[in-house]
Amino acid sequence: MFVLAGVSAVQAEEKAQSGKQVAAELNTRVPVKMDYLIYLPKDYDQKEKWPLVLFLHGAGERGDNLDLVTVHGPPKLVKNGKPFPFIVVSPQCPKGQLWQPVELTALLDEIEKKYHVDKDRIYVTGLSMGGFGTWALAAHTPYRFAALIPICGGGEKFWVKKIKHVPIWVFHGAKDGAVPLERSQSLVDVLKKANADVSFTIYPDAGHDSWTETYDNPKVYEWLLQQKRKPESEVKAAEEKAEAARKAKRAAAQKK
């Protein structure tokens, strides 16, 4: 599998010279190698399209042993015999690395080609490092996902402004000593201020493990499967309308 990086070697006709600045271009392909687990529903062949859940594990499950990925979350439940009415894709991040949106995008592109995926019902969830990865991936491709469930993660505030149209259910433990509650709270606050469709569940007595109770809760999956991706054109039209309204409001205020 390859990803276009959009960058290239120095052009032969304009090589860099000492004391001179010249334009250059890199145009190469960067290979993406990623191990992952995939689960297909029992009656997979009976439907043309299926929802898909991308699960991103935490830092402790990194490496080259896929059994580690089954320690928590949906892959753990699948391993224990729980059936799901959706495809589950659970990649493994190499040791010492973090989730990279470009690589995860390449994985989803490949999965969409190989399997019967409903492109309007692709969901992302992750815990701890995977929670951070969930926020980052959604910001990288803000019109791809139908809903997000980031657990005890965090990210940059400017990220979430890109995904205020995506339904998000955030989870965090109030006594989390590894990733402070504030990391989720600050993003939720930005989303609420933007009138986004966001819910925030805080477990008052939970530490870092706020994922076991979340993934064991059937209502989480019920909520998830109710969500459907909004068309990009519709989202952008609404954003333009809202911006026009804000400009008109400012202009009216200046005339007073």
Side-chain angles (χ1 to χ4, degrees):
M1 185 186 323
F2 296 90
V3 180
L4 281 175
V7 198
S8 175
V10 177
Q11 298 174 348
E13 68 275 10
E14 196 176 12
K15 290 185 177 180
Q17 299 175 23
S18 179
K20 183 181 179 182
Q21 179 173 264
V22 298
E25 182 186 64
L26 177 66
N27 186 6
T28 188
R29 290 178 179 268
V30 179
V32 175
K33 183 179 182 300
M34 187 181 297
D35 295 324
Y36 62 93
L37 297 171
I38 184 163
Y39 164 84
L40 301 180
K42 291 182 179 179
D43 51 349
Y44 171 75
D45 291 326
Q46 297 179 21
K47 292 185 179 181
E48 292 184 1
K49 295 189 299 182
W50 286 92
L52 182 150
V53 171
L54 175 67
F55 168 72
L56 305 180
H57 64 69
E61 292 73 65
R62 291 177 292 186
D64 55 8
N65 178 3
L66 277 174
D67 283 341
L68 292 173
V69 181
T70 65
V71 171
H72 302 298
K76 172 188 176 181
L77 297 174
V78 168
K79 184 178 181 179
N80 291 337
K82 182 177 179 58
F84 280 122
F86 46 76
I87 299 169
V88 182
V89 176
S90 308
Q92 185 172 38
C93 186
K95 187 176 181 180
Q97 296 186 28
L98 301 174
W99 291 116
Q100 300 299 320
V102 171
E103 295 179 352
L104 292 171
T105 296
L107 172 62
L108 285 174
D109 289 344
E110 184 73 2
I111 295 297
E112 285 184 0
K113 292 176 184 177
K114 288 185 175 181
Y115 299 96
H116 305 160
V117 177
D118 185 344
K119 295 182 180 180
D120 290 325
R121 300 176 75 194
I122 299 178
Y123 314 105
V124 189
T125 183
L127 60 94
S128 194
M129 185 186 82
F132 282 85
T134 299
W135 289 109
L137 177 59
H140 180 70
T141 50
Y143 302 106
R144 185 166 201 167
F145 304 113
L148 311 173
I149 298 181
I151 304 173
C152 59
E156 301 295 337
K157 293 181 180 180
F158 69 88
W159 288 354
V160 299
K161 293 180 180 180
K162 299 180 180 180
I163 54 175
K164 59 187 179 182
H165 59 282
V166 182
I168 305 173
W169 193 352
V170 185
F171 293 84
H172 216 118
K175 299 178 180 179
D176 194 331
V179 180
L181 175 64
E182 170 60 23
R183 297 307 302 270
S184 285
Q185 184 70 66
S186 61
L187 303 186
V188 170
D189 289 345
V190 172
L191 288 167
K192 286 185 175 180
K193 189 175 181 179
N195 296 316
D197 182 1
V198 59
S199 299
F200 191 20
T201 296
I202 301 173
Y203 300 114
D205 298 319
H208 192 44
D209 182 2
S210 51
W211 54 82
T212 298
E213 185 172 351
T214 300
Y215 289 127
D216 284 348
N217 185 354
K219 293 183 179 180
V220 169
Y221 305 103
E222 292 173 9
W223 173 84
L224 202 62
L225 293 173
Q226 290 172 2
Q227 314 308 318
K228 190 173 182 180
R229 177 177 63 166
K230 297 180 178 66
E232 181 176 348
S233 58
E234 178 183 311
V235 173
K236 288 185 174 179
E239 291 174 346
E240 291 174 359
K241 183 178 180 180
E243 179 60 24
R246 284 193 292 270
K247 288 182 177 179
K249 187 176 180 179
R250 287 196 296 268
Q254 290 173 357
K255 290 181 179 179
K256 292 182 178 179

